[in-house]
Amino acid sequence: MRVLGVDPGLTRCGVGVVDGTPGRPLTMVGVGVIRTPAEEEIGPRLLRVEQGIEQWLDLHRPELVAVERVFAQHNVRTVMGTAQASAVAMLCATRRGIPVTLHTPSEVKAAVTGSGRADKAQVTAMVTRLLRLAEPPKPADAADALALAICHIWRGATTNRLAAAVATAKQSSPRSREYRR
Amino acid sequence: MRVLGVDPGLTRCGVGVVDGTPGRPLTMVGVGVIRTPAEEEIGPRLLRVEQGIEQWLDLHRPELVAVERVFAQHNVRTVMGTAQASAVAMLCATRRGIPVTLHTPSEVKAAVTGSGRADKAQVTAMVTRLLRLAEPPKPADAADALALAICHIWRGATTNRLAAAVATAKQSSPRSREYRR
C-alpha cells in the first residue's frame, strides 16, 4: 500500500510518501514541503498548495491520502490556514477517487512512538528508524507527513478497506445528487 | 461589475450574484445554496462544494468573488467546515484568474444596513430593498451571500482595481515559481 501523508499548512505543507503493509518493513518513496509565500494573497497560496499536491499525486500515485485532522482549539493564529490547506489536500485526493483518512496528532505520535504525547524529536527519530534512513528525513518538518503515512499504514488495515469501499461506491455515481438548492 | 458573493459553509454554502456599480441601482442575477449531506465524509463534501461553485462560475461568469472572512474565534463546532468551504471557493475563483476579496461579517452588515451589529432580519430586509425584490430572497439563508456581493460592489471601488491588477500580474507568470521545496 502506498500512502501520501499530508501535514497541512499554508506556509509549509509537509508531504511524505511511504510504501508498506502492516507487519512488514516500510519504505520511504519521497518527502518534501510545499511552501507558499506569506506575503501573497490567500487565493494564490491555496492554488500553489493545490498544484503542489497534484504534482505529488501525479508523481507517486498513492492509493490513500492521510491528512492530519485539524482542531479549532489549536493555535488560533495558524488554524485557519491549516484547515484551508487540509481542505485543498482532501479535495485533490477525492477528485481522483483516492480515499482520504484523517488522523489526530496524538494518534500519529502514538502510532510511531508508542506515546500520544511524544515530542517532535522523538517522532523524527522513530520515523528515521522505521523507514531505515541513514539520517533524519529532510526537510526536517516533513517528518510529520511521513509519520502520518506510517500511522495510516499501521492503523488503517480495517479502516482503509472501509474507506476504499465507500469511495468506490461513491465514485460509481459521482454526479447523481450533486446539486441540491 | 458582476460579483459572486459566497457565504461559506460545509452543510450550506450560500451563493448570490449581483450586478452593479457604486451609486447605481443593483440587480440580483441569481441566488442559491450549495448543500452537502452532513453524514457524508469530508472529502466528498468538499468536492460537492467545488462542483457547486464551479457551476455558479460557469453560469454567471462573475468578475469578482467576495467571500466571508472566517475567524477562528467564531463557533468552534462549525468553524473548520466554514474555513474549508471558503478555501474551496477561493481556490475555484483563483484557478480562473478571478480576483477574490474577503469581507468580515460586520463589514457586510455595515455596508448594507449602516450598522456592523445589525441582525439577520435587518440584513435580509435591506438586501430585499437594495435589490428591489418583490419579496425576500429565497432561500432565506442565501441573503448573506447577496449582502456580501453588495458589500463588495460598494466598498470595493478602490480595492477591486488593486486586486484585479495584482491578479493580472500574477496570471501572467502562473508557473514561474510554483514549487519551492
Side-chain angles (χ1 to χ4, degrees), chain A residues 2-58:
Chain A
R2 174 167 291 190
V3 177
L4 169 66
V6 179
D7 182 23
L10 204 49
T11 304
R12 305 175 66 77
C13 182
V15 281
V17 181
V18 177
D19 272 348
T21 47
R24 302 288 299 275
L26 302 160
T27 310
M28 182 178 85
V29 178
V31 65
V33 174
I34 301 161
R35 298 166 210 261
T36 79
E39 68 279 11
E40 205 168 53
E41 281 182 49
I42 175 83
R45 295 182 77 186
L46 293 170
L47 192 58
R48 285 178 195 270
V49 173
E50 179 183 53
Q51 290 165 335
I53 297 284
E54 290 289 348
Q55 199 186 49
W56 277 78
L57 295 174
D58 280 342

Side-chain angles (χ1 to χ4, degrees), chain B residues 116-139:
Chain B
R117 291 187 226 158
D119 64 15
K120 206 167 177 66
Q122 223 179 321
V123 170
T124 302
M126 282 307 295
V127 164
T128 308
R129 189 174 308 168
L130 294 167
L131 296 174
R132 295 161 297 142
L133 306 174
E135 49 184 33
K138 286 178 184 169

Side-chain angles (χ1 to χ4, degrees), chain A residues 88-167:
Chain A
V88 173
M90 292 189 281
L91 187 64
C92 291
T94 307
R95 267 199 306 246
R96 295 179 183 226
I98 304 173
V100 173
T101 53
L102 304 174
H103 300 284
T104 66
S106 36
E107 283 168 352
V108 175
K109 289 173 185 173
V112 301
T113 73
S115 162
R117 291 188 225 158
D119 63 16
K120 206 166 178 65
Q122 223 179 321
V123 170
T124 303
M126 282 308 294
V127 165
T128 310
R129 189 174 308 167
L130 294 168
L131 295 174
R132 296 160 297 141
L133 306 175
E135 48 185 33
K138 286 178 185 170
D141 59 2
D144 283 345
L146 292 169
L148 264 156
I150 297 170
C151 169
H152 187 78
I153 290 168
W154 284 355
R155 295 186 79 223
T158 309
T159 329
N160 294 347
R161 280 196 297 272
L162 205 68
V166 170

